[in-house]
Amino acid sequence: NPGSNPVIDVGLSVTQGFANMILVLVLVFIALATILRVAGYEIKKLLPTFILVALLVNFAPLLVGLIVDASNIAMNYFVSGLTQFTAWVDQMGSVWSGVLTVAGFGSIEAARSALFYSAAVAIFSFFIGIAFLTYALIFIVRYVVIWILTILAPLAFVLYILPATRGLTKKWWEQLVQWSFIGVTAGFFLYLSSFVIAGARDWF
């Protein structure tokens, strides 16, 4: 939420100021291009876009916030259902306790079985840990990138006015959508992995 993030607030105060200055320069450029009859830059064609962008520059945090909030709702739906991970940790505690008991007081065959058993548990736990670390890094990078894209939003909107720079605005939109909804994708696969873990608990 930009309103509660001081980093975004400070960044937006700078980029919105630059965006408003660029709007003035663009308006002068459009006027000169109209006088010189430069094709594609006539004021009749660009004025509606200019007015729309001038409004969006000041409402950029709200627009970005709506998109991010929509992705967060979908992401939280999957993440809130990850109840199997806590059960997995409890199950592993019981498993290791059982392995140590068998290895310490059982026969040689039981000790070998316990060793194989513990190796299987360790390998499975290792890959689960790697998955958790990967998703944690994705979520951290996601938030940082969204902060940067939110700060750059006013400038991205201004670039849409002129046909020559609209491609940069398109790239900004693509990055915003991708990084907003990558959390939904990650949450979905975490949600699926919770069912894998639920099945793995029966193996151990």
Side-chain angles (χ1 to χ4, degrees), residues 122-195:
I123 293 172
F124 195 84
S125 299
F126 173 77
F127 285 108
I128 291 295
I130 292 296
F132 284 160
L133 179 60
T134 301
Y135 285 120
L137 291 175
I138 289 175
F139 286 129
I140 292 172
V141 174
R142 172 182 179 267
Y143 281 111
V144 174
V145 173
I146 288 176
W147 291 354
I148 295 173
L149 292 173
T150 302
I151 292 172
L152 296 178
L155 298 176
F157 291 147
V158 169
L159 293 174
Y160 186 76
I161 298 175
L162 301 178
T165 56
R166 285 180 182 175
L168 296 175
T169 305
K170 182 180 178 181
K171 291 181 179 179
W172 177 86
W173 274 112
E174 291 175 351
Q175 292 298 316
L176 177 63
V177 172
Q178 289 176 4
W179 281 103
S180 294
F181 286 92
I182 194 174
V184 180
T185 304
F188 173 71
F189 283 107
L190 279 175
Y191 185 76
L192 289 180
S193 64
S194 69
F195 289 96

Side-chain angles (χ1 to χ4, degrees), residues 14-54:
V14 176
T15 55
Q16 283 180 330
F18 275 115
N20 287 321
M21 287 190 296
I22 294 174
L23 283 173
V24 175
L25 295 176
V26 169
L27 186 60
V28 173
F29 175 79
I30 292 174
L32 292 175
T34 302
I35 294 173
L36 298 174
R37 297 181 181 180
V38 179
Y41 290 88
E42 296 85 354
I43 193 167
K44 291 183 179 180
K45 291 183 178 180
L46 298 181
L47 185 58
T49 303
F50 179 89
I51 295 174
L52 177 61
V53 168

Side-chain angles (χ1 to χ4, degrees), residues 51-131:
I51 295 174
L52 177 61
V53 168
L55 294 173
L56 288 176
V57 164
N58 296 293
F59 290 98
L62 177 61
L63 180 60
V64 174
L66 290 175
I67 296 173
V68 175
D69 287 344
S71 65
N72 285 340
I73 291 173
M75 181 180 66
N76 290 335
Y77 171 80
F78 295 115
V79 175
S80 62
L82 303 179
T83 59
Q84 299 294 339
F85 293 125
T86 301
W88 166 262
V89 174
D90 295 338
Q91 181 76 6
M92 287 304 97
S94 299
V95 166
W96 284 110
S97 177
V99 167
L100 293 175
T101 300
V102 172
F105 301 100
S107 63
I108 295 178
E109 292 183 359
R112 291 176 179 174
S113 176
L115 181 61
F116 176 79
Y117 190 57
S118 61
V121 172
I123 293 172
F124 195 84
S125 299
F126 173 77
F127 285 108
I128 291 295
I130 292 296

